[in-house]
Amino acid sequence: MTDTLLADSPVTRTDWTRAEIAALFELPFDELMFRAQTVHRAHHAAGEVQLCTLLSIKTGGCPEDCGYCSQSAHADTGLQAEKLMEVDEVLAAAAAAKASGSQRFCMGAAWRNPKDRDMDAVVEMVAGVKAMGLETCMTLGMLEPHQAERLAEAGLDYYNHNIDTSPENYGNVITTRTFEDRLDTLDHVRAAGINVCCGGIVGMGETRADRVGFIHALATLPRHPESVPVNALVPVKGTVLGNMLADTPLAKIDDIEFVRTVAVARITMPMSMVRLSAGRESMSEATQPCASWRARTASSLATSC
Ligand code: SF4
């Protein structure tokens, strides 16, 4: 079944209230796990794994100030800014990913938004990767409607654009754009007919109410994202949040609360592929099986554009 068909299922609700979502977070842990597992098995093949490869096609020097990101020009991580990769380099990397078993190839650029002068190369990358028989995904920052349409015409399957956190907490994480800016790009992507990959990061010093608000914002979109990556912050020294968490280690989200967040995403967006991405590696081996019912993926997003 395609993601598009899944998103049209009548069991998908988009009228969740914050109180309902908060009540799910409050469930006894075993009850929450049972409900998440039940929803997952009703709509997804148990144990299915999708292999994705992510390539940074333009690294560093991003003008945005996302507090978690080492690619921001506002961070002091020593990362060298690079220019956009050549098309043939990207296609060679995609071919290697396919040869090693990947089904989806994701291309990410550290931009606030692509310039129109970059679009010819980007579109060529999408068409070339698609022609190899791989699913295509891109994350390039904010898009104008005409840019989304060009990507759709080139065969782009997915666009990743995360809301990151709750609307209320957004300004504590990023100041160079607004939550509404994100929603505008998601609208443009949807209008162009591209599948949406949209999630965020927990463990950024937010409250549980923010985690409720984050899930609520996703689960009440006019149509649920086909992919919902839920990341736990991997603190990087030199970033605003990495430095903050280095000074206050107790601010790190505990594994059980992270699993609760993924479980609530699973229940409220039953058809979406809920992806446990960054943060998976830092989860203890004892905890990882608790989230075995999310759609497993071998990718991990280096940024959250
Ligand atoms: S997450 Fe994306 S938009 Fe934000 S600073 Fe990093 S590269 Fe730029």
Side-chain angles (χ1 to χ4, degrees):
M1 198 179 297
T2 67
D3 286 341
T4 303
L5 287 174
L6 288 173
D8 285 338
S9 165
V11 305
T12 302
R13 273 183 62 195
T14 58
D15 62 350
W16 290 95
T17 65
R18 286 197 182 211
E20 286 176 307
I21 293 171
L24 289 172
F25 269 93
E26 292 294 329
L27 284 172
F29 190 67
D30 56 345
E31 175 66 20
L32 180 60
M33 293 298 97
F34 175 73
R35 291 200 196 180
Q37 181 71 259
T38 303
V39 167
H40 184 67
R41 286 177 184 245
H43 305 293
H44 302 270
E48 194 173 74
V49 177
Q50 181 177 53
L51 293 175
C52 306
T53 297
L54 171 68
L55 177 69
S56 176
I57 60 173
K58 193 274 167 197
T59 301
C62 181
E64 299 284 60
D65 70 350
C66 309
Y68 48 78
C69 183
S70 58
Q71 303 213 55
S72 168
H74 302 260
D76 182 17
T77 54
L79 190 73
Q80 288 293 318
E82 295 171 8
K83 61 183 182 52
L84 182 65
M85 286 175 71
E86 298 294 333
V87 174
D88 55 357
E89 290 177 297
V90 173
L91 297 185
K98 182 169 187 196
S100 60
S102 274
Q103 295 136 321
R104 185 178 298 178
F105 192 68
C106 308
M107 294 159 270
W111 284 326
R112 173 175 166 80
N113 51 271
K115 306 274 186 306
D116 280 340
R117 66 168 182 266
D118 300 314
M119 288 303 292
D120 286 345
V122 163
V123 158
E124 214 181 313
M125 291 171 193
V126 173
V129 174
K130 184 86 175 168
M132 292 177 195
L134 284 163
E135 282 189 328
T136 53
C137 176
M138 277 200 153
T139 181
L140 310 173
M142 293 182 281
L143 292 182
E144 294 296 328
H146 69 282
Q147 294 174 323
E149 283 157 20
R150 282 201 68 189
L151 291 170
E153 283 162 15
L156 186 67
D157 296 302
Y158 285 83
Y159 195 77
N160 166 257
H161 198 64
N162 290 335
I163 59 166
D164 293 313
T165 186
S166 68
E168 298 77 19
N169 193 43
Y170 203 75
N172 296 326
V173 178
I174 300 144
T175 67
T176 50
R177 58 172 186 259
T178 65
F179 197 81
E180 286 66 35
D181 289 332
R182 304 306 271 181
L183 299 182
D184 287 348
T185 288
L186 292 173
D187 280 349
H188 303 331
V189 169
R190 274 280 179 234
I194 301 169
N195 291 309
V196 167
C197 172
C198 181
I201 306 175
V202 294
M204 298 195 291
E206 78 281 344
T207 62
R208 175 176 281 182
D210 288 317
R211 291 188 278 279
V212 169
F214 160 59
I215 300 287
H216 178 260
L218 291 169
T220 56
L221 286 170
R223 183 164 156 178
H224 292 168
E226 281 74 15
S227 278
V228 179
V230 180
N231 305 285
L233 180 71
V234 178
V236 176
K237 207 164 177 329
T239 62
V240 172
L241 289 169
N243 290 347
M244 179 194 86
L245 288 175
D247 294 340
T248 52
L250 290 178
K252 179 184 179 295
I253 190 168
D254 74 67
D255 286 351
I256 294 297
E257 182 69 7
F258 181 33
V259 172
R260 279 186 185 276
T261 309
V262 179
V264 175
R266 169 73 295 152
I267 293 166
T268 51
M269 294 171 277
M271 301 304 175
S272 304
M273 296 278 274
V274 176
R275 295 167 186 275
L276 190 57
S277 299
R280 183 186 61 228
E281 299 85 351
S282 60
M283 204 184 234
S284 74
E285 286 192 17
T287 312
Q288 287 209 26
C290 293
S292 62
W293 32 261
R294 87 287 177 193
R296 277 171 277 184
T297 176
S299 74
S300 112
L301 288 174
T303 67
S304 187
C305 305

